Amino acid sequence: MRKKVVAGNWKCNTTLQEGVELAKAVNSVVKEKGANDVVVVLGTPFTHLSKVVENVDTKRIGVSSQNCAAEAKGAFTGEVSAAMVKSTGAEYVILGHSERREYYGETSEILNKKLALTLENSLTPIYCCGEPLEIREAGNQKEYVINQLKETVFKLNADDFGKIIVAYEPIWAIGTGKTATTEQAQEMHKDIRDAIAAQFGQEVANNTSILYGGSCNPKNANELFANPDVDGGLIGGASLKAEDFIQIINAY
Ligand code: PEP
């Protein structure tokens, strides 16, 4: 049975102190409410990982980086390897976010190296895919997104694919306040699940969590999460306010 997941992506926001306070605020409520069936993940900057791990109940809240290096180790100044992420106690790595693809030139080739290192280090990739506005306007979103998957995660074996979480994030909805309609989200999530079934079989598809990302907030989370193929959300802006993020967690 696939898990429901609500993951925050803090991006390049919060100082260490602010991040720890935010994590503590989420932790206290998640603990109190005992929202047992929703996996909660905090995607923090690298600098915050170990402190956030120390300040949350890691049985209830997973901690994630937002990236990792494409190399295992060595002379790559400024990079942070998957092994380093693992050593902080984090359990997840967000990979392939559209901002990384667009601003840092992350290609499928680079992402395949990162996926391999993430899995080798027993970290769970939260793998992002999603189309830009012009592709959506041309009606080619399905081919575009499935192709992103074919070039990367569909090259994994079924066993490794079974360890990943997929996040569908239409780029035109990220940080824009423009959310995909519930029909648009469900349609694409179903297309992704069908493509997973064709590649790896129905059982793997049924067990894969597919998250929606793109201006998800306390007002629309309920409707989005009610879709049969939407298994939670990857939340940017609204994950920076503990209250909003908690309301989204409780949207189930
Ligand atoms: C994201 O960046 O992953 C995201 C979904 O951002 P926002 O919620 O701010 O649109």
Side-chain angles (χ1 to χ4, degrees):
M1 193 50 197
R2 59 186 180 257
K3 292 180 182 133
K4 296 169 188 168
V5 182
V6 175
N9 174 14
W10 295 358
K11 310 193 187 194
C12 187
N13 292 300
T14 73
T15 62
L16 175 60
Q17 292 73 20
E18 289 164 350
V20 168
E21 285 315 304
L22 176 56
K24 281 183 182 171
V26 174
N27 186 56
S28 61
V29 176
V30 168
K31 262 167 76 179
E32 262 170 43
K33 297 226 166 173
N36 284 324
D37 58 344
V38 179
V39 176
V40 178
V41 178
L42 303 178
T44 84
F46 288 127
T47 45
H48 302 20
L49 292 171
S50 59
K51 273 274 175 207
V52 169
V53 167
E54 273 171 39
N55 281 282
V56 298
D57 175 0
T58 50
K59 285 189 224 78
R60 290 291 303 114
I61 296 182
V63 180
S64 179
S65 69
Q66 302 165 20
N67 181 29
C68 71
E71 306 296 336
K73 62 193 230 181
F76 303 101
T77 302
E79 288 293 280
V80 177
S81 71
M84 292 172 194
V85 171
K86 179 74 180 178
S87 71
T88 67
E91 294 172 285
Y92 299 82
V93 179
I94 298 170
L95 285 179
H97 192 282
S98 59
E99 287 154 14
R100 298 227 40 101
R101 293 180 194 254
E102 186 179 345
Y103 307 142
Y104 302 97
E106 284 199 354
T107 59
S108 295
E109 200 185 348
I110 293 170
L111 287 169
N112 285 334
K113 289 167 123 186
K114 295 186 177 192
L115 277 163
L117 288 162
T118 299
L119 290 163
E120 266 168 38
N121 284 282
S122 306
L123 290 158
T124 299
I126 301 176
Y127 182 79
C128 305
C129 55
E131 80 286 355
L133 185 60
E134 63 273 19
I135 298 288
R136 168 65 63 169
E137 284 176 347
N140 295 330
Q141 64 274 9
K142 179 177 170 187
E143 287 115 297
Y144 186 94
V145 168
I146 303 302
N147 192 48
Q148 282 182 323
L149 300 174
K150 281 189 180 157
E151 286 184 355
T152 55
V153 287
F154 281 8
K155 294 190 172 178
L156 297 170
N157 61 44
D159 200 33
D160 278 342
F161 184 87
K163 296 172 186 157
I164 76 162
I165 294 170
V166 175
Y168 167 60
E169 300 206 304
I171 299 171
W172 45 272
I174 296 181
T176 57
K178 212 173 164 188
T179 318
T181 63
T182 179
E183 292 79 16
Q184 285 171 325
Q186 169 56 25
E187 188 181 30
M188 180 60 86
H189 281 233
K190 171 93 169 57
D191 288 341
I192 292 172
R193 200 175 306 285
D194 288 347
I196 297 170
Q199 184 72 22
F200 297 110
Q202 196 61 51
E203 199 186 333
V204 173
N206 289 345
N207 288 331
T208 303
S209 298
I210 307 175
L211 316 185
Y212 169 80
S215 300
C216 187
N217 61 43
K219 290 202 181 98
N220 59 27
N222 202 285
E223 201 185 326
L224 285 161
F225 295 176
N227 284 301
D229 287 294
V230 176
D231 306 308
L234 181 55
I235 320 296
S239 71
L240 293 169
K241 283 197 203 129
E243 256 174 51
D244 286 0
F245 190 58
I246 287 155
Q247 278 190 55
I248 295 172
I249 296 166
N250 290 336
Y252 270 113

